[in-house]
Amino acid sequence: MSERPVSGIRTVACIGAGVIGGGWAAYFLARGLRVRAWDPAPDAGDRLRRTIDAAWPALTELGLAPGADPHALELFPTAAEAVAGADFVQESAPEDLTLKRALLAELAAAAGPDVVVASSTSGFPMSDMATEAADPGRLVVGHPFNPPYLIPLVEVVGGNATEPWATARAAEFYRHIGKSVIEMDRELPGFIANRLQEAIWREALHMVAQGEATPEEIDRSITDGPGLRWPVHGPCLTFHLAGGEGGMAHMLDHFGPSLKAPWTRLDAPELTAALRDDMVAGAQVSAGGRPMAELVAERDRAVIAVRRAVEAARAAGGAGG
């Protein structure tokens, strides 16, 4: 168990330099860290350099940490060498379970005894990936959203052999460098965000396959519809507001029967009293004790800001094109 503060993490090994690994490398560099990278592709170095250079303007606009240097990067001929001098390891290899198992075992063996090895996997539980590691206690999932240099979310969860301190340290490190972290209580294939994203994607494919909607209509239904509210209020708090002064409780009591309507190919869970109470309590936590009028005003300001920003970005793109 490491007793060093996460502020002492100064060097990160990025194992895999594709879209996700390259995005992570750019973000770590922007936070003033040094990056040790490895990728088996012959052109990995050039590709990684292009990814960092492309991301740097956005990272600069978001704000660089003191000492941030896009060239504080070193490539190594083997994964073990890259990991050997790192304080934290971020693995971003392709989504191949056999590959992940062998690679994570190698990384855990090469990393120092108090170094956490985090996987960027999009959906594999760590319990399935850590089966070949001699010391799986430091292996955790640190699942980002693409592109990692721009989207703040990271979902952190350990496997059945992960030590609690390793999960806590990974979450603390990500928060320290500016990420929005969800520490999951249990493993779930696809985690939280990908399961929600996948549900929308599968329903979209169904509608296109059945001739019920076009891809353009589906995209606009989100960008000009509920997607405008989600940057400030997620789906649950959005429905809390939909219930008016009665909040989530009124919404569920009033619209609960529509769960039986054929609005999606997904099967709805039974709206039991326990589920209703959990949703009501969760909405109250999200609301943070703020009155409905304040939440509505917050939503309205955010939607106006998002609409104006999107319109300005589209206008700039059209003018430049």
Side-chain angles (χ1 to χ4, degrees):
M1 175 178 179
S2 176
E3 296 182 355
R4 293 185 300 154
V6 293
S7 59
I9 296 176
R10 303 304 307 155
T11 302
V12 179
C14 287
I15 305 303
V19 173
I20 300 299
W24 267 124
Y27 186 79
F28 292 137
L29 291 169
R31 302 322 301 158
L33 303 173
R34 300 191 63 83
V35 171
R36 300 165 65 92
W38 172 81
D39 188 290
D43 66 339
D46 292 339
R47 182 157 38 89
L48 181 56
R49 184 75 263 156
R50 290 195 299 270
T51 298
I52 293 168
D53 290 345
W56 207 253
L59 288 164
T60 300
E61 186 170 346
L62 286 171
L64 301 175
D69 181 357
H71 300 288
L73 168 72
E74 187 175 0
L75 268 73
F76 290 83
T78 68
E81 289 176 84
V83 167
D87 304 313
F88 189 90
V89 179
Q90 189 74 43
E91 172 271 312
S92 305
E95 288 294 286
D96 179 309
L97 185 57
T98 300
L99 171 64
K100 293 272 195 188
R101 284 172 170 167
L103 182 58
L104 287 170
E106 179 184 357
L107 300 179
D114 62 348
V115 174
V116 174
V117 178
S119 175
S120 299
T121 179
S122 297
F124 291 136
M126 183 50 73
S127 293
D128 292 346
M129 294 190 294
T131 55
E132 296 180 14
D135 177 17
R138 293 174 290 122
L139 299 179
V140 306
V141 167
H143 169 238
F145 242 60
N146 189 37
Y149 69 84
L150 196 59
I151 307 299
L153 180 65
V154 182
E155 295 169 313
V156 176
V157 61
N160 54 23
T162 302
E163 296 286 348
W165 73 264
T167 306
R169 184 167 176 80
E172 185 183 2
F173 168 63
Y174 289 132
R175 290 193 185 100
H176 176 70
I177 60 172
K179 287 294 188 178
S180 173
V181 179
I182 295 175
E183 285 187 76
M184 296 177 61
D185 293 331
R186 65 189 68 184
E187 291 186 288
L188 183 67
F191 318 114
I192 298 172
N194 268 348
R195 291 178 75 94
L196 294 171
Q197 181 173 248
E198 186 71 8
I200 292 177
W201 177 236
R202 293 187 184 191
E203 185 62 29
L205 293 177
H206 274 300
M207 287 191 283
V208 172
Q210 297 299 318
E212 297 161 347
T214 67
E216 188 275 336
E217 289 170 337
I218 290 167
D219 281 352
R220 192 147 47 87
S221 75
I222 298 298
T223 62
D224 294 356
L228 289 170
R229 301 181 300 217
W230 290 345
V232 63
H233 294 161
C236 296
L237 201 53
T238 291
F239 282 132
H240 178 59
L241 268 64
E245 291 300 325
M248 180 67 79
H250 176 71
M251 195 284 297
L252 289 173
D253 293 341
H254 186 70
F255 293 105
S258 68
L259 289 172
K260 302 298 183 181
W263 288 3
T264 173
R265 273 82 174 179
L266 291 173
D267 290 331
E270 193 66 31
L271 186 57
T272 62
L275 176 56
R276 176 192 179 279
D277 291 347
D278 285 346
M279 293 302 297
V280 171
Q284 291 170 346
V285 171
S286 295
R290 292 173 292 168
M292 192 65 66
E294 181 180 331
L295 293 170
V296 169
E298 177 185 60
R299 178 200 61 196
D300 292 355
R301 287 193 303 270
V303 169
I304 290 169
V306 169
R307 288 184 59 182
R308 286 177 174 167
V310 170
E311 288 164 6
R314 287 174 175 166

